[in-house]
Amino acid sequence: MDDLTDRQIAEDPQAGEDRFRILIHHTPTPLWYVDARAVGDIFMRLREEGLSDVASYLDDHPDLVELAKDIVVVTEVNRAAVSLFRAADSSELIRPVRYLFAATPDMAKRVMTAHFEGRRNYVEQAKMATLDGEVRDVIFSVTFPTPPEDLDTTFITIECITERLQTEAQLRRLQADFAHAARVSMLGELAASIAHEVKQPLAAIVTNAETSLRWLAREEPNLAKVGELTTRIAASAQRANDIIQRVRSMMAKHEPQHLALDLAEVIDEALHFVRHDLEAQRITLLRADAGVLPAVVGDRVQLQQVVVNLLVNSIQAIGNADAPERRIELRVDADGGDAVTLSVRDSGPGIAEENLHQVFDGFFTTKDTGMGIGLAICQSIVAEHGGQILAANHPDGGAMFRVALPVAGQPQSGD
Ligand SMILES: Nc1ncnc2c1ncn2[C@@H]1O[C@H](COP(=O)(O)OP(=O)(O)O)[C@@H](O)[C@H]1O
Ligand SMILES: [Mg+2]
């Protein structure tokens, strides 16, 4: 049968049909032939009675959905379907479609709505249970017959994506581990700056406590003064505590979160990590944020990490080049409503033209003590957030990095 020629098929259409069936039977995609005419008849009557909002109708008549699961029947399945459901043979799957909806009962309603509305296809990511009870993640696709085609057969394909989802989850974990490792090394680079940040409030606490003691040691202790100093001590302790908390959340290994975030706020927090370095290097930071910005979705700590990395690079570029002009410009903008962009421009020497295409490569560095993972990790974090990062040189000199993140609620490309 496999070696029927086209001519033979032309002479004998039945042979063509057989060959087609053999092909379908061996195709690697699990496939179901379904006879949904019984429901088609009911739909026709409902339409004649003037029904248009079938979704609400099915909400009010769950019994019709249940009935459909019993009167719509599978008429044929291929080998891949048998093996996906771990059936002994096809006869176990040739029965009413109820079993296809066992793990996602609600989907039947959505499939019926699509059918009633005369749609050509319906696709949903769903769960399905094999005959021995294992639940799998699948893409469930239904193709409805439309006139003037053969009105008898609805096709269902079910593609198992459990492994793909597992691989994706594994990759996400790996990315998070990588980001974490890079954060720890970034904090290493910032150790002196962080130590200095903590030292300031601690020094203030010591001075204020000593002054308090002196006021108390007087013949007539000045309690009002002591009260005022104690308030300052508490505020300084709080400040030191905040710094330690920020460092701790940077150090911590955590599952990346997907929260609605204000990027301007993320930047404020990131700035705490580099403030001392900016001051020590006498670098002026200019900040320009465009009004109220829409939220982006992501992981607060990872996005802080991106900002800190970019700022550290700019600080190093200015410092290493001993640039006479010492300035970093930070800008946050809403980009046409579907993205929020952050641009970081510095007054350093810029990026050598021949390096522009490789600054995001892992382990690419032009610094003696550089690791070359800062920008690689920035790119991986931004990509994980559905965004984009670009490196360029500003026409007036200095490097410029631009990060664009999709606004919350946008469909992400590539999904
Ligand atoms: N603001 C900048 N100005 C000039 N060159 C930069 C800037 N940011 C990054 N680069 C270049 O990109 C390289 C890679 O940066 P990065 O991945 O952060 O690694 P590292 O900072 O450890 O070198 C740097 O070594 C430098 O050559
Ligand atoms: Mg770096």
Side-chain angles (χ1 to χ4, degrees), residues 43-323:
F43 280 174
M44 195 128 71
R45 274 207 309 281
L46 288 173
R47 231 178 258 121
E48 278 164 13
E49 287 166 18
L51 177 70
S52 60
D53 183 358
V54 72
S56 327
Y57 183 85
L58 293 176
D59 281 339
D60 297 340
H61 298 84
D63 43 324
L64 177 56
V65 179
E66 291 311 308
L67 176 73
K69 289 179 189 170
D70 292 325
I71 62 174
V72 173
V73 290
V74 176
T75 56
E76 201 170 332
V77 298
N78 70 355
R79 291 205 317 190
V82 172
S83 103
L84 177 64
F85 270 75
R86 305 232 189 84
D89 59 61
S90 57
S91 66
E92 286 194 315
L93 301 182
I94 298 180
R95 55 189 166 102
V97 293
R98 175 172 293 279
Y99 71 94
L100 292 175
F101 299 97
T104 315
D106 254 17
M107 181 168 56
K109 203 159 62 188
R110 294 185 286 275
V111 172
M112 289 173 77
T113 304
H115 184 181
F116 183 92
E117 289 173 349
R119 302 236 297 270
R120 187 84 174 90
N121 294 293
Y122 180 77
V123 180
E124 177 171 331
Q125 182 176 331
K127 298 214 181 277
M128 148 228 122
T130 61
L131 294 189
D132 52 5
E134 194 190 320
V135 174
R136 301 181 146 224
D137 293 294
V138 297
I139 303 280
F140 187 98
S141 321
V142 190
T143 304
F144 302 103
T146 45
E149 292 161 27
D150 165 19
L151 286 172
D152 298 357
T153 314
T154 297
F155 292 102
I156 295 178
T157 62
I158 299 183
E159 182 200 351
C160 183
I161 54 166
T162 301
E163 278 84 21
R164 198 186 85 199
L165 293 184
Q166 277 167 358
T167 311
E168 278 172 13
Q170 229 163 27
L171 279 175
R172 270 199 297 277
R173 266 197 302 279
L174 216 66
Q175 193 274 347
D177 288 352
F178 186 32
H180 174 250
R183 266 202 312 279
V184 173
S185 105
M186 177 183 87
L187 287 172
E189 277 184 82
L190 293 169
S193 181
I194 293 165
H196 191 91
E197 281 291 288
V198 187
K199 236 162 79 189
Q200 271 183 343
L202 291 182
I205 288 170
V206 172
T207 313
N208 287 325
E210 283 169 358
T211 318
S212 280
L213 288 173
R214 277 201 301 279
W215 284 111
L216 282 171
R218 292 201 171 183
E219 219 142 280
E220 259 179 62
N222 185 336
L223 290 184
K225 265 276 182 242
V226 171
E228 193 185 298
L229 289 165
T230 311
T231 307
R232 276 198 231 159
I233 289 172
S236 294
Q238 186 58 49
R239 219 178 105 206
N241 193 44
D242 288 348
I243 297 164
I244 289 165
Q245 285 306 332
R246 268 195 297 274
V247 174
R248 281 182 62 168
S249 52
M250 273 276 180
M251 286 289 276
K253 198 167 176 174
H254 67 278
E255 284 279 306
Q257 296 183 309
H258 299 275
L259 300 173
L261 299 171
D262 176 358
L263 193 60
E265 214 176 276
V266 171
I267 294 168
D268 289 339
E269 285 156 5
L271 284 173
H272 285 285
F273 287 95
V274 295
R275 218 181 49 168
H276 173 72
D277 278 357
L278 288 170
E279 276 168 20
Q281 300 258 10
R282 302 180 323 279
I283 296 171
T284 311
L285 183 94
L286 301 171
R287 176 91 183 263
D289 289 4
V292 180
L293 294 160
V296 298
V297 172
D299 185 82
R300 177 178 295 276
V301 169
Q302 287 199 352
L303 291 178
Q304 274 178 33
Q305 183 178 357
V306 170
V307 179
V308 174
N309 263 317
L310 293 178
L311 290 172
V312 167
N313 278 347
S314 286
I315 293 169
Q316 290 172 345
I318 295 169
N320 293 347
D322 210 3

